[in-house]
């Protein structure tokens, strides 16, 4: 980005990533605020708001993220994640803006045992994963490789409802918390993701990138780290023991990949690596433990 102000429109501004993007807004970037929440599924409203506000950059952080609910509400998931993404891409193209779009590790089937490259073949296991894949394809169908598509995973932020929030709550009221140990991925602080998105857009990156915190974990490892860091910060609280279980012992409506670690080297070569996921939790743990937060 040059010294002149860049106007940015972020959809999904009330979500975890939207809040984190606002909290990490770099100098020289102007945050455009539509009069009311822009429903990305409403093509006419999208076209009107984008034409009025004239953003130079659109970041589509809006999404239908209820992974299990999507299994019985496929129409709702595709409407937001596919049609909504398409609408944002069309508005981007018609106004000559640039677009960054966010996608997910859930586009992969998890049968790999090495980190997924950006050009590995997708094969989603769930409605949510498929709707997000269709969203990527919709964006590319309009903007081609000019769009920046960043896939991420296991996102948490103190402003949102997420695994860290749930664990820090239930671990202090239960004796035992059972957590699946056979799904491996990378927890990701939305603040680090937001900074990466700003850095990538500043560099003018286009095409597909992966971004998560560094390091890998099972949900069980993730829970253990939350417990350790939480107990260190609040030793006076009672903390549940964490027991590893298999996915089949915790059935959910949506199937999830067993292994969804993303290879970040393309992004790391351009903007450097992010924090290790455990450092991110250490940084944020007080915000999760503070009853006034969230
Ligand atoms: N959370 C994760 O673990 C995770 C993992 C991988 C990828 N991702 C991707 O990362 C991105 C950000 O996720 P997040 O964690 O920030 O999600 P989030 O906290 O659930 O926020 C989603 C946002 O989208 C908005 N939204 C939903 N439907 C909309 C619509 N029709 N029009 C406009 N806004 C709409 C929501 O607003 P309302 O609340 O007002 O509806 C909310 O602000 C998404 O693309 C998601 O697919 C997330």
């Amino acid at each position: 980005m040059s010294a002149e102000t860049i106007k940015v429109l972020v959809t999904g501004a009330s979500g975890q990533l939207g809040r984190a993007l606002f909290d990490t807004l770099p100098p020289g970037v102007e945050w455009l605020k539509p009069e009311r929440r822009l429903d990305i599924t409403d093509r006419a409203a999208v076209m009107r708001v984008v034409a009025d506000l004239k953003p130079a950059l659109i970041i589509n952080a809006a999404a239908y993220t209820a992974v299990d609910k999507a299994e019985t509400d496929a129409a709702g998931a595709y409407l937001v994640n596919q049609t909504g993404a398409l609408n944002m891409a069309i508005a981007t193209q018609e106004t000559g803006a640039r677009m960054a779009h966010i996608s997910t590790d859930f586009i992969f089937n998890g049968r790999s045992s090495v980190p997924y490259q950006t050009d590995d073949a997708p094969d989603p296991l769930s409605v949510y994963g498929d709707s997000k894949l269709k969203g990527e394809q919709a964006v590319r169908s309009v903007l081609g490789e000019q769009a920046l598509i960043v896939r991420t995973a296991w996102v948490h932020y103190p402003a949102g409802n997420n695994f860290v929030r749930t664990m820090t709550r239930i671990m202090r009221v239960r004796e035992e918390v059972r957590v699946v140990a056979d799904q491996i991925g990378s927890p990701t602080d939305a603040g680090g993701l937001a900074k990466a998105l700003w850095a990538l857009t500043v560099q003018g990156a286009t095409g597909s990138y992966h971004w998560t915190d560094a390091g890998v974990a099972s949900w069980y490892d993730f829970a253990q780290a939350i417990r350790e860091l939480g107990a260190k910060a609040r030793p006076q609280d009672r903390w549940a023991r964490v027991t590893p279980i298999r996915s089949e012992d915790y059935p959910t409506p949506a199937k999830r990949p067993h292994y969804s670690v993303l290879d970040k080297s393309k992004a790391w070569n351009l903007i450097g690596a992010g924090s290790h996921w455990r450092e991110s939790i250490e940084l944020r743990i007080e915000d999760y433990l503070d009853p006034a937060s969230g």
Side-chain angles (χ1 to χ4, degrees):
M1 267 186 259
S2 67
E4 73 192 63
T5 305
I6 301 287
K7 293 180 171 187
V8 62
L9 175 64
V10 176
T11 65
S14 66
Q16 300 193 94
L17 177 57
R19 300 276 290 265
L21 283 164
F22 186 77
D23 292 346
T24 58
L25 195 66
V29 180
E30 181 188 343
W31 183 274
L32 299 172
K33 203 170 177 314
E35 271 175 28
R36 60 181 73 87
R37 171 185 179 273
L38 172 61
D39 180 354
I40 65 167
T41 70
D42 181 341
R43 168 93 51 98
V46 166
M47 300 307 291
R48 194 173 55 245
V49 168
V50 172
D52 280 357
L53 296 178
K54 300 185 182 53
L57 173 66
I58 292 173
I59 303 180
N60 185 32
Y64 184 115
T65 55
V67 175
D68 288 315
K69 189 172 163 217
E71 294 297 309
T72 49
D73 179 25
Y78 285 105
L79 184 62
V80 180
N81 292 345
Q82 180 179 16
T83 309
L86 177 68
N87 291 342
M88 295 315 301
I90 291 171
T92 300
Q93 194 196 36
E94 295 218 346
T95 55
R98 289 190 290 141
M99 179 175 180
H101 175 73
I102 321 304
S103 192
T104 172
D105 56 332
F106 280 19
I107 66 151
F108 295 116
N109 65 22
R111 288 192 207 112
S112 179
S113 53
V114 292
Y116 283 98
Q117 304 287 328
T118 52
D119 56 359
D120 278 345
D123 179 23
L125 303 175
S126 61
V127 168
Y128 167 75
D130 192 55
S131 69
K132 292 292 294 182
L133 174 61
K134 298 273 175 8
E136 289 189 18
Q137 291 165 345
V139 170
R140 276 196 210 96
S141 75
V142 177
L143 298 170
E145 287 302 305
Q146 287 312 304
L148 171 66
I149 296 183
V150 179
R151 299 191 190 118
T152 188
W154 298 24
V155 177
H156 59 89
Y157 200 57
N161 278 319
N162 54 58
F163 188 75
V164 189
R165 174 159 309 288
T166 304
M167 288 295 135
T168 48
R169 181 171 49 79
I170 66 173
M171 278 179 180
R172 288 184 286 168
V173 293
R174 293 189 192 167
E175 289 289 320
E176 181 192 29
V177 175
R178 291 152 57 85
V179 185
V180 296
D182 58 0
Q183 287 172 28
I184 313 288
S186 301
T188 302
D189 173 52
L193 171 62
K195 285 185 194 156
L197 280 166
W198 292 127
L200 287 168
T201 51
V202 164
Q203 298 268 351
T206 59
S208 300
Y209 287 82
H210 288 165
W211 185 270
T212 64
D213 279 357
V216 301
S218 66
W219 289 107
Y220 167 70
D221 297 325
F222 191 9
Q224 273 291 4
I226 294 165
R227 186 193 182 283
E228 281 172 35
L229 295 167
K232 195 169 137 200
R234 291 285 188 285
Q236 67 276 25
D237 291 355
R238 211 185 48 164
W239 288 85
R241 72 177 174 280
V242 187
T243 305
I245 59 169
R246 295 169 308 168
S247 299
E248 60 208 72
D249 298 322
Y250 186 75
T252 53
K255 246 194 188 173
R256 288 163 167 78
H258 276 288
Y259 179 92
S260 62
V261 178
L262 301 175
D263 185 306
K264 275 84 63 184
S265 45
K266 197 173 153 192
W268 288 359
N269 287 339
L270 201 59
I271 60 170
S275 305
H276 189 275
W277 61 266
R278 196 184 149 101
E279 283 173 1
S280 299
I281 300 173
E282 198 158 14
L283 181 78
R284 304 274 186 213
I285 194 76
E286 280 296 337
D287 293 330
Y288 285 106
L289 295 172
D290 176 1
S293 80

